[in-house]
Amino acid sequence: MTKVIKNGTIVTADRQWKADVLIDGEKIVEIGENLKGDETIDATDAYVIPGGIDPHTHLEMPFMGTTAAETFESGTFAAAAGGTTMLVDFCLPGEDGSLLNAIDAWDKKSKDQICTDISYHMAITGWNENIFEEMEAVVKQRGINTFKHFMAYKGALMVEDDEMFASFKRCAELGALPLVHAENGDIVQAMQEKLLAEGQTGPEAHAYSRPPELEGEAANRAIMIADAAGTPLYIVHVSCEQAHEAIRRARQKGMRVYGEPLIQHLTLDESEYFNKDWQYAARRVMSPPFRNKMHQDSLWAGLSSGSLQVVATDHAAFSDVQKRMGLENFTLIPNGTGGLEERMAMLWTQGVETGRLTPEEFVAATSTNIAKILNIYPQKGGIMVGGDADIVVWDPTITKTISTSTQKSIIEYNVFEGYEVTAQPRYTLSRGDVIWAYGQNSQPQPGRGKFVRRPAFASASKALSKWKSLNTPRKIERNPMNIPSGV
Amino acid sequence: MTKVIKNGTIVTADRQWKADVLIDGEKIVEIGENLKGDETIDATDAYVIPGGIDPHTHLEMPFMGTTAAETFESGTFAAAAGGTTMLVDFCLPGEDGSLLNAIDAWDKKSKDQICTDISYHMAITGWNENIFEEMEAVVKQRGINTFKHFMAYKGALMVEDDEMFASFKRCAELGALPLVHAENGDIVQAMQEKLLAEGQTGPEAHAYSRPPELEGEAANRAIMIADAAGTPLYIVHVSCEQAHEAIRRARQKGMRVYGEPLIQHLTLDESEYFNKDWQYAARRVMSPPFRNKMHQDSLWAGLSSGSLQVVATDHAAFSDVQKRMGLENFTLIPNGTGGLEERMAMLWTQGVETGRLTPEEFVAATSTNIAKILNIYPQKGGIMVGGDADIVVWDPTITKTISTSTQKSIIEYNVFEGYEVTAQPRYTLSRGDVIWAYGQNSQPQPGRGKFVRRPAFASASKALSKWKSLNTPRKIERNPMNIPSGV
Amino acid sequence: MTKVIKNGTIVTADRQWKADVLIDGEKIVEIGENLKGDETIDATDAYVIPGGIDPHTHLEMPFMGTTAAETFESGTFAAAAGGTTMLVDFCLPGEDGSLLNAIDAWDKKSKDQICTDISYHMAITGWNENIFEEMEAVVKQRGINTFKHFMAYKGALMVEDDEMFASFKRCAELGALPLVHAENGDIVQAMQEKLLAEGQTGPEAHAYSRPPELEGEAANRAIMIADAAGTPLYIVHVSCEQAHEAIRRARQKGMRVYGEPLIQHLTLDESEYFNKDWQYAARRVMSPPFRNKMHQDSLWAGLSSGSLQVVATDHAAFSDVQKRMGLENFTLIPNGTGGLEERMAMLWTQGVETGRLTPEEFVAATSTNIAKILNIYPQKGGIMVGGDADIVVWDPTITKTISTSTQKSIIEYNVFEGYEVTAQPRYTLSRGDVIWAYGQNSQPQPGRGKFVRRPAFASASKALSKWKSLNTPRKIERNPMNIPSGV
Amino acid sequence: MTKVIKNGTIVTADRQWKADVLIDGEKIVEIGENLKGDETIDATDAYVIPGGIDPHTHLEMPFMGTTAAETFESGTFAAAAGGTTMLVDFCLPGEDGSLLNAIDAWDKKSKDQICTDISYHMAITGWNENIFEEMEAVVKQRGINTFKHFMAYKGALMVEDDEMFASFKRCAELGALPLVHAENGDIVQAMQEKLLAEGQTGPEAHAYSRPPELEGEAANRAIMIADAAGTPLYIVHVSCEQAHEAIRRARQKGMRVYGEPLIQHLTLDESEYFNKDWQYAARRVMSPPFRNKMHQDSLWAGLSSGSLQVVATDHAAFSDVQKRMGLENFTLIPNGTGGLEERMAMLWTQGVETGRLTPEEFVAATSTNIAKILNIYPQKGGIMVGGDADIVVWDPTITKTISTSTQKSIIEYNVFEGYEVTAQPRYTLSRGDVIWAYGQNSQPQPGRGKFVRRPAFASASKALSKWKSLNTPRKIERNPMNIPSGV
Ligand SMILES: [Zn+2]
Ligand SMILES: [Zn+2]
Ligand SMILES: [Zn+2]
Ligand SMILES: [Zn+2]
Ligand SMILES: [Zn+2]
Ligand SMILES: [Zn+2]
Ligand SMILES: [Zn+2]
Ligand SMILES: [Zn+2]
């Protein structure tokens, strides 16, 4: 059975043009004028864009003594409702430390729930021979080409510099891409202790304990380590000018570093933590925390200039009850906010509608760039014959006020509550299936999503590897006669 | 009649994949596996890439009291032999100052000669009401959406800051893109006088008279003016870190500035001017002059990081006899070097083969990016169904030493003489015609090239215009009662 | 007759220590413990600091069709009341264009009025043989080692780049220091026209017409020209990060560039222009205009890090009646604000009392650094045996609210109105004379001030000159046999 | 008994002037013209400058399994011969970990040997309650206001980030200044292992194992930690642009960070390690290693622009026999080079004689700045009445070729061998005693040197402390009614 998306304006990361899109089964089979199919999806007055890819979610993640409330089902359905057709979740090793077992566990959790396609980043939270070995299987057998490293959450997920170096070097060998959460965990912890000792227990102290300089420092450090190990690097949730500056500085030296701002950091600021309502502030607690307007300007400029490539959400949604674990102590508030459903509409409204971004840049930031980085382009992230029919009919005429009452996320609040957005997905298609139709009471289709395997050795990885091998420092050949015979 | 390019690996700015390309007449009509056509072009073991676009040439340009020796015929044939299927030449107003007449004159010169497609940038070398008016016709009737401004060549082509502002503002209104040659012409002239007064008459003094700081200054100034006028800006022949730094600084503020390094500046350095052979040095005289290695590293990093987008040649080839006009006085040496034929192979060899660039970045820098900037993508600059069949079968197994004896350029030397390159076009196709086949004694086909019309209002131009209009400073409404009644 | 300043804590740019200061006539003759003199000046609980030097004033300056209202008498008395014992006024050539005549005219105006010592910067507002010649006499005969260049005020004071280069080169030869007012006058004018055409006639449009990028551009350009000419450079009224960034960038290349923020830009921001009261806003109109807080942070950091050296006022006070010349057209509002009396107290309060500056840095910024730059240290700018007894007993226990009602300036408003300052001069001594005693009804002593001659070739000028002469580009010696005999 | 230094030109960090200096006992008692004393020291045609202070030496330091060969006697005598009258040595805790015991041990070693005055920096090489407590005694009882932290030498001296933060915070409380050796020790070790595994065992691999990015990273990290802890910071042996850039970036945010390049890094480059003679290369092994010319330019610019303040030597001299410990393995070559005797003459020759530095800046970099930073100015570091008579008669007419055969250092080589210097101390005075007279066969006077106590709370420390206390983040006061009562 075929479907044709008719009368829309296709927007890719490259260009805009009017054309119809013919889908056969899961794939796009033709793009052109006057196409016909068994079914017609109307895209009149709308854009036809690649389905969004959110490369940073934590669904049902065990963390800080609890488990993120958003499930794979509710999360992927919220994603679909917002125009996102694939997400990449972070897979954490369990107590046995095994990477492969962790993937199995994640598969088990996700499999029957997911409404869209997913993939995982594998977290490296320690270092030993077994991890070194398993990494190869993770890449080659499981199709995961990214490894996440936490420079914060000391005593829990954090890894040390030598562990990062070892893992990054392993990534370089395997053609995989290391990711980092960049904050100096030692200093975060010290700041937390200092603040608590001073009686600062409220959610605003969460922000105080993680100033931008700590993030910039860690970004800078990770970049150096990646350069030493000879691998590209991807820095998640770049929230501030300091980290962005470190990225720019690296890139202008020819280093291959990617930066991912979150939609939250682009649009919300630190004053949220100063709200007199504890629950309001606690709901916004995430790491890194929101920053001020100056940082937002920096991030937006990064998206248009190319020093930042991807907009994600770090969706990690905890309920009010969970947030209250930190009522007496901000360090116990589970870190995380939502955004899966709002990412695309918020970025369009505050980016494209203001002229900060072109429509093409919007597509690049929401799907194409990350698809290339993750080495799954153009299966995902494009509108291209042969690619998966992960497509959104993006309607720039639907205006909506974000509200908990209408959201698909299962938590009881929304950090974008009250924000007006000026575009919404009219239809969201995942591999050819309409999984969301605006205003038509779409329902979750758990279990239809698939795990997407991602091959190693993306083009940037190969180029860097070539450069590094041509530029290894050379041994000086010395005449043994000139070398003293020792003592 | 159809042609199929078979068994190659297509490389675009986005990705690489194995597929055949079917051409019908001038256009690409299908991309896929196992395609068949009336004729077969073998791409086994080769890449299939978009034909190169060189956006910066001066063929038969009247300049410094002479006329560039490279003709539209020899230049476009040299281009084809090097894998370049389109070039954009600079059109200079004649004595009557009319833009439209200049275009007519350029058309007359080029029409019967060109072997590949071309377009023009229109030069703005002064400012008056007539130019203001003609600019609209240039854009809307003649299909030229770029205007060049010289900040150097005082007394000849140079424009002042207020003229640039007026012209840039006009560009913003028309959706056209201003280009600048960025060097401070006042100071160049003063430096020239100083050096001559000190007895420095040789070609090395050409370099001394145009240090990097002068280029950086002018780039910085043009950027400010473009920002004030509300238009994107394109800086030609970015040769040094100083200009590149100004571009980066602007981009990280969200300004839309593009930078174009030349293949010469990427690969040749200032020591060329210190050659004991006057003629050797004089042949390398161009503006800006070659710089040192530190600047080269900066430019290469710009290409991979995205702060620089396009590699061009500024091809302006003068014969030895012409160069000798400056035998007693370096300021009389006609400025210009060649490169049309060597650009692609040199960039591949020194960029892709070293791992500085990915193959995709090579394509982006040689065709796709400039096609987007010039708003002719994907008619040009891509391998895409519906696009012009400007295609190169790029053979990375052909090694060749660059030599005047085998070049197509009509001048008697080559600034890359003796350089080894490791790839060459096996075939070059222009709108479906094979205009170059390696080792098969291809001949120029003058007159087959066409002028390519370029529409205004590229996507970046529209976005910036929106941003500027939303961010105009607001008038303070004052109560007339609070305003003193004057004196 | 001798005086001793007893029981104070001396603060210099170098250090703090408790000691008495013995003055004999105009000079400091001894510094030490338990000194005795004919008269005693009590400095108990106070600091003893060098008298302030304000290197940027425009007293009775003819400008924009009127003359600054502050006279040499009222201005120097206000200075004394604020702890400033020397100012450097800008001397503008009259209609005949002669520099020497201008100095005579300035001498005539100032001589009988000045209560403190003064000097002049000579303005270069055009370029010709006569100016070239007179510059030598200005330096050698008149003792003026600084020349001011306006990059703004097109059609009035503005000079072009080639004129600046010529003048800067002349400065280099004479060992004099060029100064610039850095704003791009072409673009300012174009912006003014644009804004007026849009109906923006109010004082806020003054700020809109002179955005920070225009200042940064001009600063950057002046720096390049100074580097090409081989001279240090001093940039007056650095108001924004853009200009400061250009200065830092130059300094980190080893260029010798100085920057002077004004006390106004350090403490007042652009919101002043949005005041609903026209007169309020018009009183604040100066060039460059006030900027936002981000720029203020940049300037403060520059003072503590050493990238900016001097805090001045650009004191150019126009009455309300004068300001009203621009009631219908902001471009006719005379540019200028006051600050001579408030500079020291505002800088102390907002700098030292907040910990942004050390007391030593306060002294450096208010007197010592500029005395060194002007090559009159330690005659002025220090507390040193043999130096002029220009001394302030600085009382950090006097709190005062700045008010027009108590100021010495003759204009009818104060841009710092209502600001609380936490220190005041208890006594101000000029060459040994007490010219201000807090709360003791001091009166102006017009005519007692002297003109201070300043020798050329400051140490930085000599060093730069040596560096430039050792690094001139070298002529390549070529065998005439290798040089073609021409055509 | 009095001495008078006659007919010289005094140069301080501030200025130059002709005057005599009268010394009574250990102190300067008068500066002026035509002074008389019991003895006369001729300074005709010479400069009279403050004795040099080298704040970075390791005499007789136990390190890497051996002990630095330079003794306190030979080291301080070499210093005197080179114009340095005070040095600050690094005191390392012994096996018991006690700071106070370490000082006792250092006193014991140095006391009877030192020919000039000295002081110590105390090293913090771990963290515990005892160290926390002892730090107070170190500062208050022993007069040591600086604590050194090694970010490299993992497994030996290195401290972790949380330890640094704790120690830095303690410094802030005590008004002491933390120092860091900035290199990422984890990555150095990993790089060493990698290189050794690849068969890179020679001294050049020492440089390869410690690239500039590792130093820049650590500098950046230390700066962040100092900012978080609220203390100024001093970074020793800044060898590269990366670390310098981190310092500049911090300073332009108002952070109080000092940087100390070494005379070696200013004048010697990495090609030294490529010498075919193993011993030659091994003698140059130090950390950080020598860098390329680009880094040298950066450092020189830092000295003139003020982003770097102090030139030191890190004098740690190991004999050839000791160096040979690393014959098979570069990581076993004791790290260190000499320079105590050459620092002043090399800096003068390559700095002042080239015009990179003014004579005043030379004095600032060799004594005054560090005296201020160490809070012992003007007892040391100036030519000022009341200050110690640590004075050098600096003769810019003595030209000398540096040679092991004439040096005072006891090791058998000199890294500056063969360099010509154009100035030498004619006389070196330490607290009024002539301890070196050029060409007069001066002999060491061991035991005459004294330990210099340094008070805490330098002016910058107080200012920063004020700023930080005014800018602590504020607790949000929330209505308990708005805070949920928990779960
Ligand atoms: Zn994270
Ligand atoms: Zn996360
Ligand atoms: Zn040009
Ligand atoms: Zn050109
Ligand atoms: Zn001005
Ligand atoms: Zn002024
Ligand atoms: Zn060290
Ligand atoms: Zn050391």
Side-chain angles (χ1 to χ4, degrees), chain C residues 323-338:
Chain C
K323 291 283 182 178
R324 277 177 215 154
M325 292 165 64
L327 204 48
E328 314 287 337
N329 178 341
F330 71 88
T331 70
L332 303 179
I333 303 172
N335 281 210
T337 67

Side-chain angles (χ1 to χ4, degrees), chain C residues 78-370:
Chain C
T84 290
T85 55
M86 175 175 173
L87 52 83
V88 191
D89 203 71
F90 286 85
C91 177
L92 303 183
E95 294 201 355
D96 66 1
S98 164
L99 309 184
L100 298 173
N101 291 351
I103 297 171
D104 291 340
W106 243 252
D107 276 345
K108 208 163 158 186
K109 276 198 287 190
S110 65
K111 220 174 113 154
D112 296 333
Q113 289 198 64
I114 47 177
C115 308
T116 67
D117 290 354
I118 66 168
S119 184
Y120 310 137
H121 305 293
M122 186 68 232
I124 298 297
T125 58
W127 192 249
N128 57 44
E129 188 66 25
N130 196 51
I131 291 171
F132 176 89
E133 293 298 343
E134 284 195 330
M135 283 176 78
E136 184 164 8
V138 168
V139 173
K140 295 186 181 166
Q141 295 165 21
R142 305 299 179 100
I144 292 176
N145 65 14
T146 40
F147 292 92
K148 169 76 172 292
H149 304 75
F150 294 88
M151 301 174 79
Y153 304 122
K154 190 177 175 181
L157 303 167
M158 186 171 120
V159 283
E160 298 291 338
D161 289 2
D162 53 354
E163 297 172 319
M164 276 175 54
F165 180 79
S167 175
F168 284 18
K169 205 151 57 92
R170 184 63 170 153
C171 287
E173 291 161 11
L174 296 170
L177 177 69
L179 276 56
V180 290
H181 170 132
E183 289 185 299
N184 186 308
D186 270 29
I187 308 305
V188 167
Q189 190 181 66
M191 296 286 276
Q192 288 175 335
E193 288 165 6
K194 184 167 173 285
L195 285 157
L196 287 174
E198 292 164 5
Q200 296 250 27
T201 59
E204 71 279 14
H206 173 75
Y208 302 157
S209 70
R210 311 181 95 99
E213 296 294 342
L214 271 68
E215 182 184 345
E217 185 285 315
N220 194 64
R221 182 155 38 102
I223 287 167
M224 180 278 282
I225 296 174
D227 180 56
T231 174
L233 175 70
Y234 182 100
I235 302 181
V236 305
H237 50 46
V238 174
S239 76
C240 63
E241 164 59 12
Q242 281 84 343
H244 185 192
E245 187 276 335
I247 293 170
R248 289 197 309 267
R249 191 155 31 89
R251 291 174 64 89
Q252 73 195 41
K253 292 176 188 166
M255 298 178 185
R256 293 188 175 274
V257 182
Y258 308 108
E260 167 206 279
L262 306 183
I263 188 62
Q264 294 93 320
H265 291 115
L266 285 161
T267 60
L268 303 175
D269 71 45
E270 62 177 354
S271 64
E272 303 277 333
Y273 300 115
F274 307 150
N275 195 289
K276 289 287 185 184
D277 178 346
W278 186 94
Q279 191 75 58
Y280 183 97
R283 285 166 167 176
R284 271 88 186 156
V285 165
M286 66 175 298
S287 295
F290 304 154
R291 311 296 193 182
N292 70 28
K293 302 280 181 203
M294 186 272 286
H295 296 288
Q296 295 181 359
D297 286 342
S298 169
L299 301 181
W300 283 107
L303 289 174
S304 67
S305 72
S307 50
L308 302 175
Q309 295 76 28
V310 176
V311 175
T313 65
D314 199 3
H315 192 98
F318 294 93
S319 70
D320 278 349
V321 166
Q322 290 174 312
K323 291 283 182 178
R324 277 177 215 154
M325 292 165 64
L327 204 48
E328 314 287 337
N329 178 341
F330 71 88
T331 70
L332 303 179
I333 303 172
N335 281 210
T337 67
L340 253 174
E341 192 172 346
E342 296 78 21
R343 178 180 68 123
M344 306 269 291
M346 283 295 291
L347 191 71
W348 181 270
T349 305
Q350 303 221 358
V352 179
E353 288 298 340
T354 61
R356 284 191 195 256
L357 301 181
T358 64
E360 292 87 345
E361 288 164 351
F362 168 80
V363 170
T366 53
S367 65
T368 310
N369 286 353
I370 189 63

Side-chain angles (χ1 to χ4, degrees), chain D residues 329-367:
Chain D
N329 176 339
F330 70 89
T331 70
L332 303 178
I333 303 171
N335 282 209
T337 68
L340 252 175
E341 192 172 348
E342 296 79 22
R343 178 179 68 121
M344 306 270 291
M346 284 295 290
L347 191 72
W348 180 271
T349 305
Q350 303 222 359
V352 179
E353 288 299 338
T354 61
R356 283 191 195 258
L357 301 181
T358 64
E360 292 89 345
E361 287 164 351
F362 167 81
V363 170
T366 53
S367 64

Side-chain angles (χ1 to χ4, degrees), chain B residues 413-449:
Chain B
Y413 59 90
N414 191 310
V415 297
F416 301 107
E417 184 79 34
Y419 274 79
E420 190 174 274
V421 290
T422 61
Q424 282 288 295
R426 189 187 291 174
Y427 298 101
T428 302
L429 284 80
S430 166
R431 279 180 285 100
D433 294 343
V434 174
I435 58 172
W436 173 258
Y438 189 82
Q440 298 180 40
N441 197 24
S442 301
Q443 295 303 317
Q445 306 173 38
R448 66 161 298 287

Side-chain angles (χ1 to χ4, degrees), chain D residues 181-364:
Chain D
H181 170 133
E183 289 185 300
N184 187 308
D186 270 29
I187 308 306
V188 167
Q189 189 181 65
M191 296 287 277
Q192 287 175 336
E193 288 165 7
K194 184 166 173 284
L195 286 156
L196 288 174
E198 292 164 4
Q200 295 251 26
T201 59
E204 71 279 14
H206 173 75
Y208 303 156
S209 71
R210 312 180 94 98
E213 296 294 343
L214 272 66
E215 182 184 345
E217 185 285 314
N220 193 65
R221 182 154 39 102
I223 287 168
M224 179 278 282
I225 296 174
D227 179 56
T231 174
L233 176 70
Y234 181 100
I235 301 181
V236 306
H237 50 47
V238 173
S239 76
C240 64
E241 164 59 11
Q242 280 84 342
H244 185 192
E245 187 276 334
I247 293 171
R248 290 197 309 267
R249 190 154 32 87
R251 291 173 65 87
Q252 73 196 41
K253 292 176 188 166
M255 297 177 186
R256 294 188 174 274
V257 181
Y258 308 108
E260 166 205 280
L262 305 183
I263 188 63
Q264 294 94 320
H265 291 115
L266 285 161
T267 60
L268 303 175
D269 71 44
E270 62 178 352
S271 64
E272 303 277 335
Y273 300 115
F274 307 150
N275 197 288
K276 290 287 187 183
D277 178 346
W278 185 93
Q279 192 75 57
Y280 183 96
R283 286 165 166 176
R284 272 87 186 157
V285 165
M286 66 176 299
S287 296
F290 304 154
R291 311 296 192 183
N292 71 28
K293 302 281 182 203
M294 185 271 287
H295 296 288
Q296 295 181 359
D297 285 342
S298 167
L299 301 181
W300 282 107
L303 289 175
S304 67
S305 71
S307 50
L308 301 175
Q309 294 76 28
V310 175
V311 175
T313 64
D314 198 5
H315 192 98
F318 294 92
S319 70
D320 278 350
V321 166
Q322 290 175 310
K323 291 283 183 179
R324 277 175 216 155
M325 293 164 64
L327 205 46
E328 314 288 336
N329 176 339
F330 70 89
T331 70
L332 303 178
I333 303 171
N335 282 209
T337 68
L340 252 175
E341 192 172 348
E342 296 79 22
R343 178 179 68 121
M344 306 270 291
M346 284 295 290
L347 191 72
W348 180 271
T349 305
Q350 303 222 359
V352 179
E353 288 299 338
T354 61
R356 283 191 195 258
L357 301 181
T358 64
E360 292 89 345
E361 287 164 351
F362 167 81
V363 170

Side-chain angles (χ1 to χ4, degrees), chain A residues 48-67:
Chain A
V48 176
I49 62 174
I53 300 173
D54 186 340
H56 191 157
T57 70
H58 302 279
L59 302 178
E60 303 180 37
M61 178 175 69
F63 186 52
M64 295 181 74
T66 182
T67 295

